Amino acid sequence: MGNLQVSSGQYVQAAKSFASAVIFGLGGSVENDGRHLGVGTLNDLKSNSPINRRAISSIPDLVHAIDQSLRGSPVSANACSSHSPLLLSPQQALQARYKLFPPDGQLPLVSQCQNNQNTNPQIPVDSLPSNYIQRYNNMGREDDPRQTSASIEAIVSNALLNLSKIFQDGINSGAPDKVVYLNGRVPSTYDILSLYLLSLSLNASASTANNVGILLLASVTQSPMSSNLPCQNCERRTRDLALDYYLFGLSLDQKHPHLHTNLGSLLREQGKLNEAVQMYQKAIQCDPHFNIALANLAGCLKDQGQIDKAIIYYARAVQENPDFVEALVGLASCYGSVCNWTDRGGCGWEQMSVDIEGNLVSGQIEGWVTRVIKVAENQVDEVRRWGIGAIDFIDSVEGGNLFKTIERTVRISDPNERVKFRQLINSWRGCYEEGTNLLSLIEKTIRAVQRQWYLDRRQGVKPPVPDYTYARPHIPSVLPIPLAPSILPFHSFTLPLNSFYVRQISEKAASRVSMTVLSQNWLPKHVYPPPASPKNGVLKVAYISSDFANHPLAHLMQNVFGMHDRTKVHAYCYATSPSDSSQYRQEIEKGAYVFRDVSSWSTQKIVEQLVSDGIHISVNLNGFTKGGRNEIFATRPCPVQISLMGFAGPMGADWCDYVLGDITAMNGVPQYSNLSNNDSRLKLIQPPDENMSSYWPYRKEKVIYMPRTLFCCDHRQSAPDSNKVRIESGQPLHTWEADVELRQRLRKQLFPNLPEGAFLMGNFNQLYKIDPTIFVTWLRILQRLPHAYLWLLEFPKNGRTNLYTYAYKWTGSRDILSRIIFTPVAEKNEHIIRSRVCDLFLDTPECNAHTTAADVSWGGTPIITYPRHSYKLCSRIGASIVYGALPADYRGRQIGQRLVVHSEAEYEDRVVEFGSTLEGLRELNEIRTVLFNEREKDGNGLFNTKKWVESVEKGFQRAWEDWVQGKHENIFID
């Protein structure tokens, strides 16, 4: 019955069925309605029965009994605290039954059967699964008591396994209708692990060992399971234990595909990609139709750069299960990365599509990109339902304690304000975004209370009980971790999504991060204490990044940290990745006021170090990119938290107060009104208006507007042809005349067969940034300019064949095919030098060149760019860089208006204009001269890193002053 109920989506009923089987097998009584079991929906009554290890009557009773029997005993000697999961090895877990039912580990029902061999126990027919009823009815008739015991143990073990899996899957799903509650709260890792351990002890099975391994790993990764792990040693031990359980499971069943798959994922997480591939392949050998193993193998192959092989396995996974969202999204990502557009279709803003034969067709048709967009939209719409009913539960079951805590800590004492506060909460009740608004309320309260603590301290107020006065609002037990969309925020850069879904994808990803970390038991009961007032006005600013290495971000910012005026800012750098011993890492370590390698630290340890260091402002240099540690920021260790440079989009998080921007990149300043502009204390905690400007994706964070460009460059300090590098190496300065000669020489070296008078256009982005629309535009330009050539990079190499295929298929011209030139990716300094060879850089409108655009501008090559979207920062940074590299005068604005266009048609016509006439070529050469002369000037342009740092310091100072004053608004740097 239970399994049928699960398959039909009746999760609560199934959980009650399995719970009944467990309680009955443990000697407890089972009522037909199952309400006493402590398992069910929010409306089910809690179990309040007393704990009795010999008469366990509910699942919460059982969890408590397991805890009491194992905690503090020799078996659990490795448990790290009274709040951590029981970190038992598989061999120790097998002893759980003996600790719970000493001395022989015999279940109570077994004793009953042995004592009453002629009398079967009373079976609650309406409560137990039918297959269990039949097995229970046969128990008393067993000739061998050992067989009776084994039968009961198998039944209880299986029911525990199924019940735990329902809890685990419900939490992982994030879907409200799949979550099964335990005594009116979301089950914790500890609850589920306790049940699994007893199941394993009663009947050691590979499936149970597999699920324990999954649960343990989930407790130390950014997942929906609350980790409760208080120390870094526990985290390492937990990962080791997960491996032990996988290996133990394989010792029981060497052909268990799930175990091979999960072991592969653990190895992949550790960076052991070759070993991971082998594990996934073993899983597929066990079950060739196992779609999860197929998709995981594809993902691992993608990590290794084997995109063609990854596509094969992703396609197989989708074929096995067309509704497997992760495989579909992974397949689409691989297709996009190598420009495999066959059967792509078209949607959103796109006016043309690619059909199943690879033909270009006018209008929009169904294809893999439309399916991915529909998946994203459906997932967002589903997640927006998260938390519906939570306010009713908080009021009716928890007595409104959350709202009372917020009123007390934020000090909403005025009766009218309290009425408005309750009206605000009631406006969310039963509506979409109810959970999101509650989470936002909690996070804004944490920020407000931290500020109040700071103000009290300045006034000499020392409350006796910080846990009460500055209490951290707890996450309501009714709220599970929400499911984040399968499309990551970074992937939204290149998909035709509208502004609403771009924003929602980031917001839902941020909510998942928040819920994960704010559920941790190691968080103090009070908010983190604020730092002391800046001593002598010096702000302590922590830059946190995994990219302090040979990475584009370090290329751009390597000297920033040493340029800070130490009478204004002390730059602390927290490196969340180990040293690669590169020159970039060494430069950053040397320049920082304090440099900390925290790559092996737990989130808790990093957060506590930030608090101990007294950091005023923390800067997120990753955002939603690989290696990001956003959970650090979600704990709110610092009063002001800012995102810059790492992620070109909205963070959508209440733990991100500001993003760095400029007028061009942000498409101006949004016009909207919000309660936060009035003098009410509610301004400190009210979530932003859902109905604010529809195009504006920065609904939660404010913008620090830089005077010229948000983009930071280090070329003046580190480029091989910069004045600084040339002087330090004893070489003459690089003059305009030398640059002209260098450009001509390199052009002949790189392209010896290029005809005299050829017009060379280039794009050096990764190929995933190219979409069919812009590629067609480039092909039309080549058709209109017979002497033009297009230079692209093999980035990756296997995208070249696809682009050649579409170029010929869509034009039918082998001449055009011959005028598209691919070269390998070059080392950084070589790339910067050779980028000046092309006459014009053609930007990709959906996601612009970022670091590449800065490299090209330094080399003096003009960039034609089209900021296709008003709401996508990644689509507008190219324009910001173009304007930032030009003089801040009328002439610079004129040039910028020629290079920054406003449609695909204007893009095409402007390139043709530049490349078809002597006047156009002369104009490009004049622009090149301006760019060259501007790059070493003392103004506040793109390449003046020192001026950029000074502007950022002003932004930091304003952000800090606004926090102290209780303001949160856009900041404009003069």
Side-chain angles (χ1 to χ4, degrees):
M1 182 190 299
N3 290 327
L4 289 175
Q5 289 168 331
V6 170
S7 63
S8 62
Q10 301 178 63
Y11 304 105
V12 171
Q13 293 87 339
K16 288 184 177 181
S17 295
F18 291 125
S20 296
V22 170
I23 297 304
F24 186 72
L26 298 183
S29 62
V30 179
E31 301 171 11
N32 287 339
D33 63 6
R35 295 177 68 86
H36 68 293
L37 295 168
V39 172
T41 67
L42 292 179
N43 296 322
D44 287 327
L45 295 175
K46 291 187 178 182
S47 165
N48 294 310
S49 55
I51 300 300
N52 185 331
R53 285 173 55 188
R54 284 291 177 176
I56 295 170
S57 60
S58 73
I59 298 303
D61 286 354
L62 176 59
V63 169
H64 183 81
I66 296 172
D67 172 50
Q68 294 300 305
S69 62
L70 295 181
R71 188 80 63 184
S73 68
V75 170
S76 62
N78 292 304
C80 297
S81 84
S82 61
H83 297 294
S84 65
L86 299 172
L87 302 182
L88 309 181
S89 69
Q91 292 70 28
Q92 291 171 326
L94 295 177
Q95 302 301 310
R97 58 184 297 180
Y98 301 102
K99 298 296 179 179
L100 183 60
F101 300 109
D104 55 7
Q106 191 174 81
L107 297 182
L109 186 60
V110 174
S111 300
Q112 292 176 22
C113 291
Q114 291 175 350
N115 294 333
N116 303 282
Q117 291 187 7
N118 297 322
T119 305
N120 287 344
Q122 184 64 38
I123 307 296
V125 176
D126 294 336
S127 299
L128 300 185
S130 56
N131 59 322
Y132 289 0
I133 293 172
Q134 182 178 359
R135 294 172 70 180
Y136 275 135
N137 282 331
N138 291 331
M139 290 186 306
R141 303 188 181 94
E142 304 284 1
D143 294 330
D144 186 350
R146 289 175 299 180
Q147 192 171 352
T148 298
S149 176
S151 180
I152 295 174
E153 290 166 2
I155 293 171
V156 175
S157 176
N158 186 264
L160 282 167
L161 172 61
N162 284 290
L163 177 61
S164 302
K165 190 71 165 60
I166 290 173
F167 285 143
Q168 191 173 356
D169 290 347
I171 297 171
N172 283 331
S173 74
D177 57 347
K178 293 183 180 179
V179 175
V180 178
Y181 296 88
L182 193 64
N183 256 11
R185 62 176 174 80
V186 177
S188 69
T189 301
Y190 162 72
D191 299 324
I192 302 171
L193 182 58
S194 297
L195 301 178
Y196 273 138
L197 292 179
L198 181 57
S199 174
L200 193 70
S201 180
L202 293 171
N203 183 33
S205 76
S207 294
T208 306
N210 177 63
N211 290 351
V212 172
I214 294 172
L215 190 68
L216 289 170
L217 277 182
S219 72
V220 292
T221 56
Q222 212 181 82
S223 74
M225 311 301 292
S226 172
S227 95
N228 307 316
L229 293 175
C231 65
Q232 184 68 18
N233 288 335
C234 288
E235 185 172 319
R236 284 194 294 269
R237 172 159 174 74
T238 302
R239 293 181 186 278
D240 292 341
L241 276 179
L243 175 61
D244 290 344
Y245 275 96
Y246 289 148
L247 295 176
F248 176 70
L250 286 172
S251 73
L252 301 174
D253 182 357
Q254 296 182 8
K255 295 185 178 181
H256 198 291
H258 292 269
L259 281 165
H260 286 297
T261 298
N262 291 324
L263 181 53
S265 296
L266 177 57
L267 293 168
R268 180 183 176 188
E269 180 189 319
Q270 296 172 344
K272 301 175 181 178
L273 299 184
N274 291 331
E275 294 92 332
V277 166
Q278 293 174 8
M279 283 296 110
Y280 293 138
Q281 289 173 336
K282 286 184 179 180
I284 295 168
Q285 289 172 4
C286 297
D287 181 0
H289 304 288
F290 187 24
N291 59 326
I292 295 176
L294 291 166
N296 286 346
L297 175 57
C300 199
L301 292 169
K302 181 183 177 184
D303 292 344
Q304 292 182 318
Q306 301 185 65
I307 304 297
D308 289 341
K309 288 184 178 179
I311 288 174
I312 293 171
Y313 285 102
Y314 272 134
R316 281 182 59 184
V318 172
Q319 184 179 14
E320 293 294 339
N321 181 4
D323 297 325
F324 187 14
V325 172
E326 285 71 19
L328 179 62
V329 171
L331 181 61
S333 176
C334 284
Y335 280 155
S337 68
V338 295
C339 301
N340 184 341
W341 299 321
T342 299
D343 194 28
R344 180 183 183 277
C347 62
W349 54 266
E350 296 175 321
Q351 298 180 7
M352 57 187 67
S353 304
V354 183
D355 67 17
I356 197 169
E357 301 295 331
N359 297 311
L360 194 67
V361 298
S362 180
Q364 296 181 351
I365 61 173
E366 184 80 13
W368 55 258
V369 76
T370 59
R371 291 190 287 273
V372 168
I373 295 298
K374 286 179 181 178
V375 163
E377 293 175 350
N378 290 338
Q379 286 186 332
V380 166
D381 293 343
E382 174 64 26
V383 178
R384 293 186 68 213
R385 295 177 55 244
W386 171 65
I388 291 179
I391 294 175
D392 287 339
F393 178 85
I394 294 168
D395 281 339
S396 62
V397 178
E398 298 185 344
N401 287 335
L402 172 63
F403 308 132
K404 293 174 183 177
T405 298
I406 292 173
E407 286 180 345
R408 184 186 75 248
T409 55
V410 181
R411 304 181 187 180
I412 303 176
S413 56
D414 181 83
N416 291 330
E417 282 204 337
R418 288 193 173 188
V419 169
K420 291 179 181 178
F421 178 51
R422 292 303 310 202
Q423 289 174 341
L424 175 66
I425 293 169
N426 287 333
S427 70
W428 306 332
R429 193 186 300 268
C431 299
Y432 271 41
E433 306 286 5
E434 181 175 337
T436 301
N437 284 326
L438 282 173
L439 177 60
S440 182
L441 175 66
I442 289 170
E443 294 191 285
K444 285 183 174 294
T445 297
I446 291 171
R447 186 175 192 263
V449 173
Q450 190 180 51
R451 171 181 172 269
Q452 188 61 57
W453 196 343
Y454 176 83
L455 297 178
D456 287 349
R457 185 188 289 164
R458 284 208 312 184
Q459 296 172 3
V461 177
K462 294 183 179 180
V465 187
D467 286 0
Y468 180 83
T469 308
Y470 309 118
R472 179 188 300 273
H474 70 277
I475 297 293
S477 60
V478 67
L479 282 180
I481 307 297
L483 180 69
S486 299
I487 293 178
L488 303 177
F490 184 80
H491 292 158
S492 69
F493 288 4
T494 55
L495 290 172
L497 291 157
N498 64 33
S499 61
F500 175 80
Y501 286 105
V502 168
R503 169 167 62 82
Q504 283 286 333
I505 287 172
S506 287
E507 287 188 5
K508 298 324 176 201
S511 293
R512 186 174 173 88
V513 171
S514 296
M515 285 293 296
T516 299
V517 75
L518 293 180
S519 299
Q520 305 296 320
N521 283 340
W522 52 258
L523 287 173
K525 293 182 179 179
H526 55 71
V527 303
Y528 281 112
S533 297
K535 187 176 181 180
N536 299 321
V538 178
L539 290 171
K540 294 182 177 181
V541 178
Y543 291 92
I544 303 172
S545 178
S546 65
D547 298 329
F548 294 145
N550 185 5
H551 182 277
L553 181 121
H555 300 168
L556 296 168
M557 297 189 70
Q558 58 184 308
N559 282 287
V560 162
F561 315 104
M563 286 184 173
H564 276 299
D565 182 344
R566 292 193 174 179
T567 66
K568 297 178 180 178
V569 168
H570 286 172
Y572 288 64
C573 288
Y574 285 64
T576 60
S577 61
S579 175
D580 63 347
S581 300
S582 65
Q583 66 184 67
Y584 307 104
R585 176 69 166 237
Q586 294 171 18
E587 191 66 36
I588 293 169
E589 290 181 4
K590 181 177 68 176
Y593 183 79
V594 173
F595 186 94
R596 300 192 188 282
D597 184 338
V598 299
S599 57
S600 63
W601 292 16
S602 67
T603 299
Q604 179 188 4
K605 188 174 180 180
I606 296 173
V607 167
E608 290 174 351
Q609 186 65 56
L610 286 163
V611 175
S612 176
D613 284 340
I615 300 298
H616 300 97
I617 298 175
S618 58
V619 179
N620 189 343
L621 293 177
N622 276 104
F624 292 114
T625 61
K626 186 177 181 180
R629 296 287 297 274
N630 292 316
E631 65 274 15
I632 294 170
F633 300 89
T635 66
R636 179 63 71 172
C638 308
V640 178
Q641 304 191 149
I642 299 171
S643 172
L644 62 84
M645 287 298 292
F647 182 71
M651 292 299 296
D654 286 296
W655 39 262
C656 179
D657 305 315
Y658 299 92
V659 295
L660 202 67
D662 60 66
I663 293 294
T664 300
M666 311 307 287
N667 192 33
V669 182
Q671 300 297 319
Y672 58 86
S673 61
N674 196 359
L675 183 62
S676 63
N677 292 327
N678 65 33
D679 294 328
S680 168
R681 293 191 71 80
L682 292 179
K683 71 179 182 179
L684 300 172
I685 59 174
Q686 183 190 2
D689 183 5
E690 173 68 24
N691 297 317
M692 68 192 303
S693 301
S694 59
Y695 80 88
W696 186 248
Y698 299 91
R699 191 170 71 101
K700 295 193 174 184
E701 54 266 76
K702 302 300 182 183
V703 181
I704 298 176
Y705 284 90
M706 295 288 277
R708 292 293 306 282
T709 177
L710 63 86
F711 211 73
C712 175
C713 298
D714 193 67
H715 297 72
R716 193 178 288 189
Q717 290 72 235
S718 55
D721 57 340
S722 68
N723 288 348
K724 181 177 183 295
V725 171
R726 304 278 289 191
I727 291 172
E728 290 176 349
S729 60
Q731 301 179 66
L733 297 184
H734 188 69
T735 63
W736 168 248
E737 291 73 20
D739 195 77
V740 171
E741 188 277 329
L742 173 64
R743 181 168 176 258
Q744 292 173 345
R745 175 164 47 84
L746 285 175
R747 187 163 173 140
K748 290 180 180 178
Q749 289 177 356
L750 283 169
F751 306 109
N753 298 322
L754 201 66
E756 193 72 28
F759 183 64
L760 183 60
M761 308 173 295
N763 178 279
F764 311 138
N765 291 334
Q766 293 188 57
L767 299 183
Y768 77 84
K769 293 187 177 184
I770 302 175
D771 58 60
T773 300
I774 193 60
F775 191 60
V776 167
T777 300
W778 293 348
L779 294 177
R780 284 199 296 261
I781 291 170
L782 289 171
Q783 287 175 321
R784 294 174 64 182
L785 295 176
H787 64 297
Y789 288 75
L790 177 61
W791 175 18
L792 302 174
L793 298 185
E794 296 172 339
F795 203 3
K797 186 174 182 178
N798 40 3
R800 177 180 61 182
T801 301
N802 291 325
L803 288 175
Y804 275 148
T805 298
Y806 295 122
Y808 182 71
K809 197 175 191 71
W810 297 350
T811 66
S813 170
R814 295 197 178 277
D815 171 64
I816 287 181
L817 208 61
S818 69
R819 289 189 281 127
I820 301 176
I821 307 170
F822 283 87
T823 63
V825 178
E827 181 271 332
K828 179 67 176 180
N829 284 341
E830 181 186 352
H831 160 69
I832 291 175
I833 292 296
R834 76 178 189 176
S835 66
R836 70 199 65 209
V837 166
C838 59
D839 297 297
L840 181 64
F841 183 88
L842 307 184
D843 202 6
T844 43
E846 190 68 16
C847 184
N848 301 156
H850 297 169
T851 304
T852 299
D855 296 337
V856 169
S857 295
W858 174 263
T861 298
I863 299 173
I864 187 85
T865 187
Y866 166 35
R868 180 181 279 159
H869 303 291
S870 62
Y871 56 88
K872 272 190 175 182
L873 177 59
C874 65
S875 176
R876 306 188 63 82
I877 285 181
S880 174
I881 290 174
V882 166
Y883 279 110
L886 293 166
D889 55 20
Y890 177 74
R891 176 58 176 150
R893 288 192 295 274
Q894 273 191 321
I895 295 173
Q897 290 167 6
R898 293 282 289 165
L899 296 176
V900 179
V901 300
H902 302 92
S903 68
E904 258 92 13
E906 186 181 359
Y907 183 111
E908 178 183 334
D909 290 342
R910 187 62 45 79
V911 174
V912 171
E913 179 186 350
F914 282 141
S916 61
T917 64
L918 289 176
E919 290 79 5
L921 294 172
R922 189 178 300 115
E923 182 179 359
L924 287 179
N925 194 56
E926 290 173 358
I927 294 173
R928 185 181 292 276
T929 306
V930 171
L931 288 170
F932 183 88
N933 292 332
E934 187 68 16
R935 70 184 195 178
E936 296 277 6
K937 283 189 176 179
D938 290 334
N940 60 353
L942 175 68
F943 298 110
N944 193 332
T945 317
K946 183 65 176 175
K947 286 289 186 181
W948 186 92
V949 171
E950 291 174 1
S951 295
V952 165
E953 287 176 345
K954 292 178 182 178
F956 290 164
Q957 188 63 43
R958 278 284 310 280
W960 174 255
E961 292 170 356
D962 282 2
W963 178 81
V964 173
Q965 296 171 23
K967 296 193 297 185
H968 187 209
E969 55 192 26
N970 294 327
I971 294 172
F972 298 87
I973 308 302
D974 297 331

